Amino acid sequence: MLIWPGFELRVALRFLREGRMQTLLIIVGVAAGVAVIAYISALISGLQSNTLAKTLGAQAHITLRAPDDLVTPAALPVPDAAVLTETQPRAQRLRSVANWQALVPLLEALPDVAGVSPMVSGSGLALRGEASQAIALMGVDLDRYDRVVGLRSKVVSGSARLAPGEAIVGRELAQDLGVRVGDRLTVQTGSVSGTVSDSVRVTALVDLGVKDLNRRTVIVPLRAAQSLLALPGGASQLDLTLKDVWVAQTLARALQTQFPYKIESWQESNAQLVSALNAQSISTAIIRGVVLAVVVLGIASVLVVSVVQKGREIGILRAMGATRGQVLRVFLVQGAVVGALGSVLGLLLAVALIWVFTHFVRGSDGLPLFAIALPPATALQVALIASVCGVLAAVAPARRAAALDPAQAIRM
């Protein structure tokens, strides 16, 4: 009696060995498809992670500010009445988030929030000798701000400290002003009430990843910025960093329903970046689908040819007692074996391509463009999909083989 799965596996392997060239070509084809899918997935994932890291490296995931000043209408609108009016928007002044000291612990208690940092930010001038540069002045609590943007990891010179009378400046701004760590510069701000200035000593130079930010960033202690920007005891915004950046939009909408503040997620402030990332993901899915279709068609075409070539053998097996189900399973096993072997070889080839990219593709600074890796979960997913596609590709040829009449097949 012919017993499954030993019988089907032995016959399937024998058929594959007899058509060595066909088997080798289709396994190489499957391996190439799997390698392309795995490598493209790893490449796009690495590119997106690198883009997000550079974009979000100097900004919060969610920003909470005081609501905008609005013009109060002179009179309530009258129903069904035509009113000719022109309202000029109010100039926005620097305002503090109401009750921000009590709000910080509430936000920190949220499960998705990893850190909250109060900030006072505004414009000013950095002066040293005859040099003058427009700056974006930021007052922060260094420990809290470091949890939001990882400021200490961006230090290129000096040591990040923000004691009273100290400041951290961007690398390009330091070059423009001709200052180094330990030098002093004057920070000046102005308003309708007059001009305020303060002399600070530079403790560190930072690289925020964007030259424009490096050219205008000056970070001082929170209380110093409150004095310079005439916002005593206030915070113009609260920066939130999250454990998962992709929940920012959902959390921002939830917070908008709870608090009367202007709350904006990084997706809203970087809409073009989000669109580009979505386009990359869609393109990757299309490429994967097309490659899988090519793999399926390749396996199916080879197995169809195998059915024609092995018609006599199939007839003899049927005459010896093999059932239609056993013949069907012989070709399904062939598809599974081809898919599995091609998947293993393809993953090895993808790992080799990733190694080549990591070690030989360099940017203008001589460093790798970005790090890419093939996560085990992604590799297993790709291998399983390829193996399943191998079995599915064998369904049609297997049904054709099982439908052969033994007598006619032997006479072929």
Side-chain angles (χ1 to χ4, degrees):
M1 182 178 179
L2 303 175
I3 302 176
W4 185 87
F7 166 72
E8 286 87 342
L9 181 58
R10 289 196 300 271
V11 174
L13 293 178
R14 181 166 182 174
F15 281 178
L16 290 174
R17 285 196 302 268
E18 290 178 355
R20 287 185 179 86
M21 185 56 66
Q22 292 178 351
T23 302
L24 179 61
L25 289 176
I26 193 56
I27 289 177
V28 170
V30 174
V34 170
V36 169
I37 293 174
Y39 177 70
I40 290 296
S41 299
L43 184 66
I44 296 301
S45 177
L47 176 60
Q48 292 183 344
S49 298
N50 179 72
T51 303
L52 281 179
K54 287 187 175 181
T55 303
L56 302 181
Q59 64 176 281
H61 299 159
I62 295 178
T63 301
L64 187 149
R65 297 185 178 89
D68 292 337
D69 285 332
L70 301 176
V71 177
T72 304
L76 296 176
V78 179
D80 302 326
V83 179
L84 298 179
T85 181
E86 181 180 356
T87 302
Q88 182 176 355
R90 295 185 61 176
Q92 300 301 313
R93 56 191 174 89
L94 188 64
R95 300 172 59 198
S96 175
V97 176
N99 300 318
W100 69 268
Q101 296 94 336
L103 187 60
V104 168
L106 294 178
L107 295 175
E108 288 179 328
L110 296 176
D112 294 321
V113 176
V116 180
S117 173
M119 176 188 292
V120 177
S121 61
S123 59
L125 290 175
L127 309 173
R128 187 171 188 267
E130 297 181 355
S132 173
Q133 291 289 332
I135 60 169
L137 180 66
M138 297 188 296
V140 300
D141 180 309
L142 182 58
D143 291 333
R144 288 182 175 273
Y145 191 61
D146 184 59
R147 288 197 293 268
V148 173
V149 301
L151 186 66
R152 287 188 172 95
S153 65
K154 297 177 173 61
V155 173
V156 295
S157 179
S159 176
R161 298 189 314 274
L162 280 182
E166 294 181 336
I168 298 172
V169 303
R171 182 170 59 182
E172 272 70 27
L173 177 61
Q175 292 177 354
D176 293 341
L177 294 176
V179 299
R180 295 177 296 181
V181 172
D183 293 342
R184 303 191 73 87
L185 58 87
T186 300
V187 175
Q188 185 181 91
T189 60
S191 63
V192 293
S193 59
T195 300
V196 181
S197 62
D198 188 16
S199 176
V200 295
R201 187 171 64 87
V202 177
T203 62
L205 307 182
V206 292
D207 181 5
L208 300 175
V210 180
K211 284 190 175 182
D212 183 55
L213 290 178
N214 292 336
R215 184 160 279 115
R216 57 187 174 88
T217 297
V218 174
I219 303 172
V220 298
L222 183 63
R223 289 189 178 182
Q226 290 171 344
S227 299
L228 286 167
L229 296 172
L231 204 68
S236 59
Q237 68 186 59
L238 297 181
D239 290 341
L240 281 68
T241 184
L242 308 180
K243 298 174 184 177
D244 182 3
V245 298
W246 295 107
V247 304
Q249 184 69 38
T250 303
L251 182 58
R253 290 174 179 171
L255 292 176
Q256 287 171 354
T257 62
Q258 300 178 41
F259 303 106
Y261 302 113
K262 183 179 180 180
I263 302 174
E264 187 177 57
S265 67
W266 71 268
Q267 288 103 321
E268 293 174 300
S269 57
N270 299 275
Q272 292 182 341
L273 172 63
V274 175
S275 298
L277 294 178
N278 290 335
Q280 285 182 343
S281 299
I282 293 173
S283 300
T284 303
I286 292 174
I287 293 173
R288 294 176 65 171
V290 171
V291 173
L292 283 176
V294 172
V295 169
V296 168
L297 292 175
I299 295 175
S301 62
V302 169
L303 292 181
V304 166
V305 173
S306 179
V307 170
V308 175
Q309 293 176 337
K310 305 299 181 183
R312 183 181 297 275
E313 288 85 344
I314 294 171
I316 293 173
L317 290 174
R318 289 294 311 282
M320 292 174 62
T323 64
R324 291 180 181 272
Q326 287 178 317
V327 174
L328 180 74
R329 289 192 291 270
V330 165
F331 286 88
L332 292 180
V333 169
Q334 286 191 67
V337 170
V338 168
L341 292 177
S343 297
V344 173
L345 293 177
L347 292 178
L348 293 176
L349 180 58
V351 171
L353 291 174
I354 291 173
W355 183 86
V356 170
F357 179 89
T358 304
H359 288 79
F360 294 101
V361 179
R362 305 280 173 170
S364 58
D365 55 0
L367 298 175
L369 291 179
F370 51 87
I372 63 173
L374 182 61
T378 301
L380 181 61
Q381 180 187 35
V382 172
L384 288 176
I385 291 175
S387 300
V388 171
C389 287
V391 175
L392 294 177
V395 170
R399 294 183 62 182
R400 179 176 178 179
L404 287 176
D405 180 79
Q408 292 182 357
I410 292 174
R411 288 197 299 267
M412 290 174 62

